[in-house]
């Protein structure tokens, strides 16, 4: 299989990298983080002009119908530059709309950069089990009424519309009786509490208090939302894996540069063989993770559900291990400066740590991988 990027993918990556180097440097990022909004409307508009928001959207809705591999290229560049705009949250929600084949008008607005979306899927008791849902959806003559609370909704307070999982029947951890809804974030009864996460992103706890939604806002088949929810979660995992590769490349480059310039005993510390060995190990971890991220991007759209789950969990687990190792080594090689906010490496380490904990940590995905049918332990 040819793993080389196409000319178009390379050009797209280079365009985003040039934009980030020119208009989204480390100082600009720190200014955005400290602002009241925590995001930049200017940066979002520029991403839309570059075509990033339109990339995964179908052509009929004004997009380029990009694949997960195309998205891998974008997420790597955004990760490399520590971009904190609500791109990931919007693209995951857009994928959910694509798979449900509904609300094409919203997809058109996403492609044009006119709307930002978020996925409200997690609850305080659910950990990483997206099917563990206490939020309820009660049918009435006008559609459904949603009641419940979602936690740590990435860019939930910045989103114009939300994808919300809710339960109409069954027990708390049943995979049946689950619905997904598209909800206007400004609907009556939607209460959002915005806050900053450790990596500089924004998240929100969102309470739904008797929120009325129309029947048209139900995504997919009634009571069969789990398959759509599971596929959406795996797509999110694929994007996170790709972002992590860009971060690993950046943190390795920053660490190597530091070893070449920091001197001890009159020579750069990069001359010490033991530190060279560490950098070699970090490089090998990154390349192994890159292979798994590529495989995840290829398999996330597989019609074989078991193969998709198995591959995505394997990738997330392996990349989680690599992210932790590379991040910890980078901080140690930088010494005390590695944990100060003055250096990009500290921010990269925080983001890698958050990625490892998002959409299922390493332990969760190892358990999910083992639980898939046909798993066998070699003798």
């Amino acid at each position: 299989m040819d793993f080389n990027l196409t000319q178009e993918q390379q050009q797209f990556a280079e365009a985003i990298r040039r934009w980030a180097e020119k208009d989204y440097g480390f100082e600009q990022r720190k200014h955005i983080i400290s602002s009241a909004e925590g995001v930049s409307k200017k940066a979002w508009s520029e991403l839309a002009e570059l075509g990033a928001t339109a990339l995964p959207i179908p052509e009929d809705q004004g997009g380029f119908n990009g694949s997960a591999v195309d998205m891998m290229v974008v997420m790597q560049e955004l990760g490399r530059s520590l971009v904190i705009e609500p791109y990931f949250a919007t693209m995951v929600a857009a994928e959910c709309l694509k798979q449900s084949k509904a609300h094409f008008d919203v997809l058109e607005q996403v492609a044009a950069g006119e709307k930002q979306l978020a996925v409200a899927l997690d609850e305080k008791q659910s950990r990483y089990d997206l099917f563990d849902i206490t939020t309820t959806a009660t049918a009435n003559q006008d559609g459904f009424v949603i009641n419940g609370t979602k936690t740590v909704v990435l860019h939930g307070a910045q989103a114009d519309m939300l994808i919300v999982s809710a339960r109409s029947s069954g027990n708390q951890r049943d995979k049946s009786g689950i619905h997904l809804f598209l909800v206007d974030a400004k609907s009556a009864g939607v209460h959002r509490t915005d806050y900053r996460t450790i990596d500089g992103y924004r998240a929100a706890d969102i309470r739904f208090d008797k929120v009325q939604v129309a029947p048209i806002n139900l995504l997919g088949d009634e009571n069969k939302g789990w398959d759509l929810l599971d596929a959406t979660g795996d797509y999110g995992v694929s994007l996170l894996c790709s972002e992590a590769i860009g971060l690993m490349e950046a943190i390795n480059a920053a660490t190597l540069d530091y070893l070449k310039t920091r001197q001890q005993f009159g020579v750069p510390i990069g001359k010490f063989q033991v530190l060279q060995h560490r950098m070699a190990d970090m490089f090998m971890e990154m390349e192994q993770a890159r292979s798994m991220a590529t495989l995840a991007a290829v398999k996330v759209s597989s019609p074989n559900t078991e193969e998709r789950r198995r591959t995505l969990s394997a990738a997330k687990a392996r990349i989680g291990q690599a992210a932790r190792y590379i991040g910890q080594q980078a901080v140690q090689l930088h010494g005390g400066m590695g944990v100060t906010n003055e250096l990009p490496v500290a921010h990269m380490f925080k983001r890698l740590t958050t990625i490892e904990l998002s959409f299922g940590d390493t332990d969760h995905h190892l358990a999910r991988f083992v639980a898939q049918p046909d798993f066998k332990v070699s003798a």
Side-chain angles (χ1 to χ4, degrees), residues 183-198:
V183 179
D184 189 324
K186 295 182 180 179
S187 298
V190 176
H191 306 279
R192 300 184 283 182
T193 302
D194 186 31
Y195 49 86
R196 186 188 303 165
T197 56
I198 63 168

Side-chain angles (χ1 to χ4, degrees), residues 218-257:
L218 173 65
L219 304 179
D221 297 331
E222 189 170 349
N223 293 318
K224 295 183 179 180
W226 168 243
D227 289 340
L228 178 58
L229 177 56
D230 189 41
T232 299
D234 277 347
Y235 186 80
V237 167
S238 175
L239 296 188
L240 288 176
C241 289
S242 299
E243 182 186 352
I245 300 305
L247 280 159
M248 292 181 201
E249 289 179 347
I251 203 169
N252 277 0
T255 305
L256 181 60
D257 184 64

Side-chain angles (χ1 to χ4, degrees), residues 315-366:
K316 188 63 161 59
R318 185 65 191 90
I319 289 169
Q321 293 168 342
R324 180 173 297 185
Y325 179 82
I326 290 173
Q328 290 176 347
Q329 293 297 317
V331 167
Q332 289 185 12
L333 291 172
H334 275 81
M337 290 296 292
V339 293
T340 64
N341 284 333
E342 282 70 26
L343 290 185
V345 67
H347 297 258
M348 295 172 189
F349 183 37
K350 290 176 183 178
R351 181 58 187 156
L352 280 173
T353 300
T354 305
I355 286 176
E356 197 272 331
L357 297 172
S358 300
F359 280 67
D361 63 6
T362 299
D363 289 341
H364 171 84
H365 279 285
L366 284 174

Side-chain angles (χ1 to χ4, degrees), residues 121-135 150 165 167 171-174 178 226 229:
L121 309 177
D122 293 318
E123 299 183 7
K124 64 180 181 179
Q125 83 291 338
S126 62
R127 188 60 172 168
Y128 300 123
D129 294 330
L130 296 181
F131 53 80
D132 189 333
I133 300 171
T134 61
T135 299
K150 299 293 181 177
S165 59
R167 180 176 298 285
N171 297 319
Q172 177 179 319
R173 292 177 60 83
D174 287 349
I178 295 174
W226 168 243
L229 177 56

Side-chain angles (χ1 to χ4, degrees), residues 145-201:
V145 176
I146 300 177
N147 285 283
T149 301
K150 299 293 181 177
T151 58
V152 199
V153 179
L154 191 61
H155 286 119
Q158 289 72 41
D160 300 297
M161 307 198 81
L162 306 166
I163 304 292
V164 183
S165 59
R167 180 176 298 285
S168 65
S169 62
N171 297 319
Q172 177 179 319
R173 292 177 60 83
D174 287 349
K175 293 181 179 178
S176 59
I178 295 174
H179 290 353
L180 289 178
F181 296 96
L182 178 66
V183 179
D184 189 324
K186 295 182 180 179
S187 298
V190 176
H191 306 279
R192 300 184 283 182
T193 302
D194 186 31
Y195 49 86
R196 186 188 303 165
T197 56
I198 63 168
D199 54 354
Y201 277 61

Side-chain angles (χ1 to χ4, degrees), residues 54-66 111:
L55 180 59
I57 307 300
E59 292 181 4
D60 290 343
Q61 282 76 57
F64 302 128
N65 200 32

Side-chain angles (χ1 to χ4, degrees), residues 8-61:
E8 291 79 8
Q9 290 169 338
Q10 292 174 346
Q11 291 173 343
F12 209 105
E14 290 169 1
I16 294 178
R17 189 178 303 186
R18 287 195 300 268
W19 164 77
E21 291 174 349
K22 178 177 180 292
D23 298 319
Y24 211 93
F26 185 56
E27 293 303 318
Q28 290 99 318
R29 180 183 184 273
K30 288 199 295 185
H31 177 73
I32 294 170
I33 289 175
S34 62
S35 67
E37 296 80 11
V39 295
S40 169
K41 292 182 179 179
K42 177 176 178 292
W44 185 260
S45 177
E46 290 168 346
L47 281 172
E49 290 177 6
L50 287 168
T53 57
L55 180 59
I57 307 300
E59 292 181 4
D60 290 343
Q61 282 76 57

